[in-house]
Amino acid sequence: MSDITLEIKLYGAFRKFGDSVNLRVVSGSNMDQVKEALSKELGELVHDSALANDNTILPKSYVFEQSATLSILPPVCGG
Amino acid sequence: MSSSIHTEILTAPLDIQTACDFVMDDAHGAIDTFIGVVRNHHEGNQVQGMTYDVHEGLAEATFAAICEEAQERWAGTKYYVAHYKGELPIGGISVIIAVSSAHRADSFESCRYVIEELKKRSPIWKKEHYPEGKSEWLPGHSLAEAS
C-alpha cells in the first residue's frame, strides 16, 4: 500500500500548533489509525475531536484512501 | 437554503435590525430574538474579552440544518442566524438569532431550539481573555460522538 498525505487544518485549542499540520499515513487507514497518528502530534484532545472535510463530519467508519485536506474539530462551544 | 432561512458568519458587528428585517413577514405576528453577548466573568474568573474561531463552511451548513429541523417542528417559521468570528470586548455581540411565526409560542420555542442546538453542534470555539494577558480555550461538546 502507498502512503497518502492528509493536510489537517487546525481550530480552537489546536491553533497553538499552527494553522495546519501534514500527516502521512498508509492508504486505507481507518479513523482510529489516523486519530492515533494525529494524537502523537497534537495530543490526547484528538480523541475527543472530529475529523471533517469542507462539507461534513467524517463518520467513524470512514476509510482514508486518498490524499486530502481535512479539519480536526475539538469540542465546540459556540454562542 | 430556502428563502425563509438566512445564516452567516461575520467579522463585522452583528446587527439586530438586519435580523428582524429578514424574518419580517406580513403573515407573522411574532418575532423572537436571542442575542449572545460577551460577559465580564466566567466561573469566578474576571473576563476581559473573547475570541471566536469558526469553521465557516461547516458552521453555516450546521446553522441551516438546525433551522430546517426547526421548520419541520414549527411549520411556517422564518429564521436569521448570524455568528461573529474574531475578537470581541465585553458587551460585544457574538450571536443573533431571530425567528418569526404567525403566533408567539412557535417563535419562543423554535428560537430556544436553535440556540441550544447551535451551542452543541456548531464548529465554533471560544477563547477567553483574562487580566495580565492570560487566555484559555473553553471546553465544549465533542462532535466525535456525532460522527
Side-chain angles (χ1 to χ4, degrees), chain B residues 66 69 112-122:
Chain B
I66 292 167
E69 291 166 11
R112 178 68 183 263
Y113 176 83
V114 172
I115 184 60
E116 297 298 344
E117 293 299 308
L118 181 153
K119 292 178 80 71
K120 287 187 290 190
R121 294 161 52 183
S122 299

Side-chain angles (χ1 to χ4, degrees), chain B residues 7 34 62-71 73-74 77-82 95-99 107-122:
Chain B
T7 69
F34 175 83
T62 304
F63 294 171
I66 292 167
C67 292
E68 287 165 3
E69 291 166 11
Q71 273 184 329
R73 294 176 64 169
W74 296 280
T77 44
K78 292 178 71 173
Y79 298 84
Y80 175 96
V81 180
V95 59
I96 290 179
I97 298 167
V99 184
S107 289
F108 282 133
E109 292 170 19
S110 56
C111 189
R112 178 68 183 263
Y113 176 83
V114 172
I115 184 60
E116 297 298 344
E117 293 299 308
L118 181 153
K119 292 178 80 71
K120 287 187 290 190
R121 294 161 52 183
S122 299

Side-chain angles (χ1 to χ4, degrees), chain B residues 3 36 55 58-60 63 66 72 83 95 123 130 139 144:
Chain B
S3 60
H55 187 304
L58 271 180
E60 289 195 27
F63 294 171
I66 292 167
E72 289 184 10
H83 202 291
V95 59
Y130 310 113

Side-chain angles (χ1 to χ4, degrees), chain A residues 9-16 31 35 46-61 71-79, chain B residues 34 36 52-58 61 83 85 94-95 115 118-126 137-147:
Chain A
K9 293 190 283 188
L10 306 177
Y11 294 88
F14 293 125
R15 289 280 191 190
K16 63 184 177 185
M31 182 65 75
K35 280 192 172 183
V46 166
H47 294 294
D48 285 331
S49 303
L51 279 161
N53 60 27
D54 284 343
N55 302 309
T56 189
I57 294 172
L58 303 180
K60 291 175 182 173
S61 59
S71 298
I72 183 78
L73 311 178
V76 301
C77 55
Chain B
F34 175 83
Y52 293 85
D53 194 11
V54 182
H55 187 304
E56 295 188 40
L58 271 180
H83 202 291
K85 177 182 178 180
S94 59
V95 59
I115 184 60
L118 181 153
K119 292 178 80 71
K120 287 187 290 190
R121 294 161 52 183
S122 299
I124 299 172
W125 303 272
K126 290 192 277 203
W137 291 100
L138 299 183
H141 298 270
S142 174
L143 299 179
E145 297 302 316
S147 63

